Amino acid sequence: MDHVEALLIGGRAGVGKTTVGWEVSAQLAAAGVAHAYIEGDMIGQLHPAPAGDPDRVQVTERNLAAMWAEYARLGCRRLVYTRTVSVLPEYGAMIQRALTGEVRLIRILLTASDATAVDRLTRREQGSRLEAELRTTAQKAPMLEARAPAGTVRVGTDDRPVTEIAKEVIAVAGWLQ
């Protein structure tokens, strides 16, 4: 493979991005498929936000570029990347810049009902973030649905085991063929 492939797993809070990302990584590893897994929400977490970068997009891009440079040096050509907005066009452009060269983007938008998202968030969030997460997840679902570009594959996560969801995501990527 002479190009890079980036599997972008996005979706509102509570759809299971992190859980699915880890399971995708585990299934790929079990099949002997070389890849890296990066949780995008974590590589831009700092407070306060840098001057001129209130949404931390620039610092996220620089951190991703630095991490990817090392993975690429080690021969990695596939990236599993999770972040709420990763499927959006401007975020895909940022990922292409950070990974450099020819990059094939595979966009997966995980979906879940409001009830499922609220249930998962209520079980997950034990601190002061719960109210904010509940408020923003309801806003992000329609925004992501409306702005995801053509070719984005929707994968429902309601009442499904993570192993099954991950198999579907990997099948869309075509990484086990």
Side-chain angles (χ1 to χ4, degrees):
M1 173 186 313
D2 60 344
H3 64 279
V4 171
E5 295 186 341
L7 175 58
L8 310 179
I9 302 172
R12 69 177 176 163
V15 296
K17 295 177 300 293
T18 300
T19 303
V20 170
W22 279 113
E23 182 61 25
V24 165
S25 182
Q27 289 184 24
L28 291 172
V33 176
H35 68 285
Y37 172 51
I38 297 175
E39 167 110 24
D41 287 333
M42 293 297 136
I43 63 174
Q45 289 289 26
L46 77 153
H47 183 79
D53 189 15
D55 295 325
R56 299 163 181 87
V57 174
Q58 294 168 4
V59 72
T60 297
E61 182 174 341
R62 286 191 302 272
N63 287 342
L64 177 58
M67 293 173 74
W68 184 254
E70 180 60 13
Y71 291 144
R73 186 187 71 74
L74 295 169
C76 191
R77 309 303 296 156
R78 289 187 173 116
L79 171 65
V80 176
Y81 187 88
T82 58
R83 186 162 188 183
T84 301
V85 295
S86 64
V87 299
L88 297 181
E90 63 272 21
Y91 209 84
M94 183 274 290
I95 290 170
Q96 287 183 310
R97 287 190 306 272
L99 274 50
T100 67
E102 184 183 342
V103 181
R104 174 182 170 237
L105 299 179
I106 306 149
R107 290 179 168 96
I108 304 290
L109 180 60
L110 298 182
T111 64
S113 68
D114 290 341
T116 295
V118 167
D119 178 61
R120 289 175 181 164
L121 287 171
T122 302
R123 285 187 282 130
R124 179 183 85 194
E125 298 294 334
Q126 300 299 310
S128 60
R129 295 286 310 148
L130 177 60
E131 290 305 315
E133 290 286 349
L134 291 173
R135 191 172 46 258
T136 62
T137 193
Q139 298 165 348
K140 286 186 180 163
M143 180 274 294
L144 289 166
E145 184 60 42
R147 295 200 50 229
T152 301
V153 176
R154 276 87 173 151
V155 175
T157 64
D158 287 299
D159 302 318
R160 295 179 66 196
V162 68
T163 52
E164 179 185 301
I165 298 164
K167 284 179 187 173
E168 182 176 346
V169 168
I170 293 168
V172 169
W175 288 358
L176 291 182
Q177 299 170 352

